[in-house]
Amino acid sequence: MHILLTGGAGFIGSNFVKMVLAARPNVRITNLDVLTYSGNLENLSDVQNHPRYRFVKGDILDTATVAPLMEEADCVVHMAAESHVDRSIMDSGPFIRTNVVGTQVLLDCWRRSRGGERVSKQAGRFVYVSTDEVYGSLPLGRPELLFTEQTPLKGNSPYSASKLGGDVLASAYHHTFGMDICITRCSNNHGPYQFPEKVIPLFVTNLIENKQVPLYGDGQNVRDWLHVDDHCEAILTVLEKGRSGEAYNIGGNNEKSNLELTHAILWLMGKGPEMIKPVADRPGHDRRYAIDASKIKAELGWEPTRSAWPKALESTVRWYVDNQAWWRNVKSGAYRAYYEKQYGNRG
Ligand SMILES: NC(=O)c1ccc[n+]([C@@H]2O[C@H](COP(=O)([O-])OP(=O)(O)OC[C@H]3O[C@@H](n4cnc5c(N)ncnc54)[C@H](O)[C@@H]3O)[C@@H](O)[C@H]2O)c1
């Protein structure tokens, strides 16, 4: 099998490439990535010469690049995206271009490469990697409420609205053209190679540099944390065994408030609460995301095995402590300008 993967130089993509190459000896991967600020070929340096792996630098919006790659592929795993909510609040343009229009370009190229109007189900699967953020937000104090695949979709930030655009386009192409499409909607990931603008690597690397950690608002916002290895395994499971046209929730059964997460990181790093710097809340900050992942467990037999807290968090924190060359390189240059703009005047 030959997978065309988009966005494979990012956090989840680079972990996915390594996991699939190791777990599936008959699978080849072509990684199409334009290398935005969050795409980093260093993430893949240990597999760059692997005989079943190929990197192509290119934009998912560019039909001339995408179309010939699709001719060679048996299936597509689409995870290229602008992925950071705070950046989408600063400028939503790149989010709409990549996450909505880019997804449409890929879907149309895939449809054409599989024969046009009505596409046979045998023509090859397209997996759209969506997010739990397309379900909007749950209130605090109602632990019985969880996102299921039936929860109405609602994009509360420009990021989630743009992912929702790609998500509904993917279902529409299944419905209209009969294309073999599955959608995955996952909770917050953590693990190696996450760009240090996201909360866990941001906090750990700040603490190593003896800088405070910026905590939004009252710190009560809740997220369900999943180790990236579990997410990658779930995407592969959906690619191989998912039912065509279905969406699958993926979660870690591991809800933590940002304050709980912050204290856990401080404790692991041997630091005290004086290292917390409260900052003004993110506009429109979703209160709680919580996933009911019973469908993927019942239908496909997937459940998280590497996300149990606090061991999973500990291994992620350890990775950033042990791999300082990686993030010090990343945390320079353009990143500094972004960080100043985001947190500089927010005291
Ligand atoms: N990180 C999470 O917690 C999480 C949770 C659920 C879903 N997701 C989804 O998983 C996917 C991957 O997320 P991530 O955290 O690895 O993001 P990331 O920002 O680390 O990686 C995104 C990758 O996409 C590439 N890319 C961006 N625009 C492109 C374009 N126009 N053409 C080609 N490549 C392009 C970037 O260069 C980068 O390598 C995204 O679709 C995201 O919405 C992420």
Side-chain angles (χ1 to χ4, degrees), residues 84-87 89-90 197 199 202-203 213-221 223 258-259 262 276-283 285 287 338 342-343 346:
H84 190 41
V85 175
D86 289 330
R87 287 182 189 258
I89 294 168
M90 285 178 190
E197 65 187 353
V199 61
L202 172 68
F203 281 17
V213 297
L215 182 66
Y216 279 141
D218 61 8
Q220 294 309 315
N221 303 61
R223 300 295 182 259
N258 286 345
L259 194 61
T262 305
I276 298 176
K277 182 186 180 202
V279 295
D281 208 353
R282 167 191 282 171
H285 202 174
R287 247 348 202 175
Y338 157 78
Q342 181 62 18
Y343 297 110
R346 235 174 152 130

Side-chain angles (χ1 to χ4, degrees), residues 147-163:
F147 295 138
T148 73
E149 289 81 357
Q150 275 70 52
T151 302
L153 303 183
K154 184 171 193 291
N156 281 338
S157 71
Y159 164 70
S160 50
S162 68
K163 288 296 295 183

Side-chain angles (χ1 to χ4, degrees), residues 133-250:
E133 300 196 29
V134 298
Y135 293 122
S137 180
L138 293 166
L140 295 180
R142 298 282 310 275
E144 78 285 5
L145 295 181
L146 301 171
F147 295 138
T148 73
E149 289 81 357
Q150 275 70 52
T151 302
L153 303 183
K154 184 171 193 291
N156 281 338
S157 71
Y159 164 70
S160 50
S162 68
K163 288 296 295 183
L164 191 159
D167 189 310
V168 292
L169 272 175
S171 332
Y173 274 61
H174 168 77
H175 186 79
T176 307
F177 302 111
M179 289 164 68
D180 179 2
I181 294 177
C182 289
I183 296 171
T184 62
R185 299 189 185 128
C186 186
S187 61
N188 279 42
N189 285 213
H190 66 96
Y193 302 109
Q194 188 169 32
F195 195 82
E197 65 187 353
K198 305 282 171 72
V199 61
I200 294 179
L202 172 68
F203 281 17
V204 176
T205 60
N206 269 17
L207 291 170
I208 294 172
E209 293 179 310
N210 221 20
K211 289 186 196 148
Q212 285 184 302
V213 297
L215 182 66
Y216 279 141
D218 61 8
Q220 294 309 315
N221 303 61
V222 170
R223 300 295 182 259
D224 172 16
W225 288 97
L226 183 82
H227 193 275
V228 66
D229 289 344
D230 276 331
H231 187 191
C232 291
E233 211 167 73
I235 294 168
L236 185 62
T237 304
V238 170
L239 176 67
E240 292 177 339
K241 301 199 283 188
R243 269 194 301 138
S244 184
E246 294 295 312
Y248 293 94
N249 282 352
I250 302 168

Side-chain angles (χ1 to χ4, degrees), residues 7 9-12 33-36 38-39 58-60 79-81 83 98 129-131 159 163 186-189 194 198:
F11 162 49
I12 297 170
D33 196 303
V34 78
L35 300 180
T36 64
S38 71
D59 196 320
I60 59 166
M79 62 172 79
S83 67
T98 289
V129 178
S130 191
T131 162
Y159 164 70
K163 288 296 295 183
C186 186
S187 61
N188 279 42
N189 285 213
Q194 188 169 32
K198 305 282 171 72

Side-chain angles (χ1 to χ4, degrees), residues 288-346:
R288 172 173 170 252
Y289 303 143
I291 278 276
D292 175 348
S294 53
K295 177 177 170 181
I296 189 171
K297 183 175 176 192
E299 275 191 21
L300 311 181
W302 176 90
E303 59 184 326
T305 57
R306 302 179 185 92
S307 297
W309 215 253
K311 229 174 130 199
L313 177 67
E314 208 175 319
S315 81
T316 293
V317 168
R318 165 69 42 208
W319 191 86
Y320 291 94
V321 170
D322 290 345
N323 290 276
Q324 298 200 21
W326 180 84
W327 58 261
R328 284 188 191 281
N329 208 5
V330 171
K331 247 183 145 173
S332 59
Y335 173 88
R336 284 214 190 110
Y338 157 78
Y339 191 90
E340 262 317 296
K341 198 168 164 201
Q342 181 62 18
Y343 297 110
N345 302 314
R346 235 174 152 130

